[in-house]
């Protein structure tokens, strides 16, 4: 398994600002993912964070709005840029580990409220 | 486009009842199906994973079945307890996980 931490756990931000969310894993993982869960909605995959290269974004998500970094095998950041109230969501990081590629482990999430 | 639906959206039951949560998906071309539990502030916990070639999986009081041809899965919770209160999500793996909207379960003493 993998233990995943996210910072911050929650934040309240003003419209037009940006927030960077950190995801730290206690072991080296093969894949890291970022999801968004809007109020009352299911989880939606934003992008796959690739180590040493640009992230792979899903349809409807762009790098300018959600820049992602993954400088090593255990750490990734997601930035929510130029925020609006519609960005209010829970953002979750997840990983696949080497010996359990079928299973994703999820972090506790970051609850973001944009005023 | 794969769509995943969960019924009911919410459920409130007294302790001790046996429960069935339903998940349906529109495209049977999946690698596996997972059931997760989501607790506030604690992210998601994987409960059961059923490979596409399997029919069911069991873990303690939980039993999940998969009928890929009809696009359905059920999660059976036996002898429910207040600690089972959470949101239950199913997700199908089609190179990426596609989640349902969840069933919010409340078990009261």
């Amino acid at each position: 398994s993998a233990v995943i931490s996210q910072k911050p756990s929650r934040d309240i931000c003003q419209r037009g600002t940006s927030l960077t969310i950190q995801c730290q894993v206690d072991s080296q993982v093969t894949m890291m993912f970022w999801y968004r869960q809007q109020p009352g909605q299911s989880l939606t995959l934003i992008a796959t964070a690739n180590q040493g290269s640009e992230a792979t974004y899903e349809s409807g998500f762009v790098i300018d709005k959600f820049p992602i970094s993954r400088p090593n095998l255990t750490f990734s950041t997601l930035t929510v840029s130029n925020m609006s109230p519609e960005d209010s969501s829970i953002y979750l990081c997840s990983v696949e580990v080497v010996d359990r590629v079928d299973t994703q482990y999820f972090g506790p999430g970051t609850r973001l409220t944009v005023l | 486009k794969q769509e995943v639906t969960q019924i009911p959206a919410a459920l409130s039951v007294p302790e001790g009842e046996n429960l069935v949560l339903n998940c349906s998906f529109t495209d049977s071309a999946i690698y596996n199906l997972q059931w997760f539990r989501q607790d506030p502030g604690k992210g998601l916990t994987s409960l059961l994973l059923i490979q596409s070639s399997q029919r069911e999986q069991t873990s303690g009081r939980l039993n999940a079945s998969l009928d890929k041809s009809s696009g359905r899965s059920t999660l059976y919770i036996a002898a429910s307890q207040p600690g089972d209160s959470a949101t239950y999500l199913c997700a199908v793996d089609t190179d990426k996980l596609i989640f349902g909207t969840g069933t919010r379960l409340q078990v009261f003493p």
Side-chain angles (χ1 to χ4, degrees):
Chain A
S1 65
V3 177
I4 305 166
S5 60
Q6 285 186 233
K7 292 181 181 179
S9 58
R10 60 177 60 224
D11 207 342
I12 301 173
C13 301
Q14 295 296 321
R15 179 196 298 262
T17 62
S18 298
L19 176 71
T20 296
I21 302 168
Q22 299 179 4
C23 176
Q24 179 73 55
V25 190
D26 68 342
S27 57
Q28 293 186 356
V29 298
T30 54
M31 307 286 282
M32 295 183 78
F33 307 92
W34 286 99
Y35 288 83
R36 180 177 73 181
Q37 186 177 28
Q38 294 177 300
Q41 305 293 316
S42 63
L43 276 75
T44 302
L45 180 64
I46 297 172
T48 302
N50 301 309
Q51 195 259 331
S53 64
E54 200 169 278
T56 305
Y57 289 84
E58 297 297 311
S59 175
F61 298 96
V62 296
I63 187 171
D64 290 345
K65 177 66 176 177
F66 297 102
I68 288 171
S69 77
R70 188 180 172 190
N72 57 52
L73 292 174
T74 63
F75 184 79
S76 177
T77 66
L78 168 74
T79 299
V80 186
S81 303
N82 188 25
M83 290 183 285
S84 67
E86 292 70 35
D87 294 319
S88 298
S89 298
I90 298 173
Y91 292 86
L92 297 109
C93 168
S94 77
V95 304
E96 280 186 358
V97 299
V98 173
D99 58 345
R100 293 290 305 275
V101 294
D102 288 340
T103 302
Q104 287 188 23
Y105 297 92
F106 284 80
T110 296
R111 183 179 293 272
L112 171 62
T113 301
V114 184
L115 302 177
Chain B
K1 179 185 174 184
Q2 178 74 266
E3 293 183 0
V4 182
T5 305
Q6 291 186 245
I7 295 174
L11 190 59
S12 181
V13 299
E15 182 176 8
E17 280 205 5
N18 300 322
L19 310 170
V20 176
L21 308 183
N22 297 291
C23 173
S24 61
F25 47 96
T26 54
D27 188 343
S28 62
I30 64 172
Y31 294 114
N32 60 60
L33 182 145
Q34 286 185 255
W35 283 93
F36 291 88
R37 169 182 171 142
Q38 185 174 27
D39 293 279
K42 294 185 179 180
L44 276 67
T45 302
S46 180
L47 298 173
L48 290 165
L49 182 150
I50 311 176
Q51 298 289 353
S52 62
S53 58
Q54 297 176 322
R55 298 285 290 182
E56 67 177 343
Q57 282 287 330
T58 298
S59 176
R61 293 184 293 110
L62 305 179
N63 175 276
S65 67
L66 174 64
D67 184 343
K68 205 172 70 162
S69 61
S70 67
R72 294 181 182 179
S73 176
T74 61
L75 178 67
Y76 177 81
I77 303 176
S80 59
Q81 302 171 358
D84 295 329
S85 298
T87 297
Y88 291 81
L89 298 166
C90 71
V92 297
D93 189 346
T94 62
D95 277 339
K96 64 180 181 181
L97 287 183
I98 299 174
F99 284 83
T101 51
T103 294
R104 181 173 295 186
L105 172 65
Q106 182 180 12
V107 181
F108 54 90

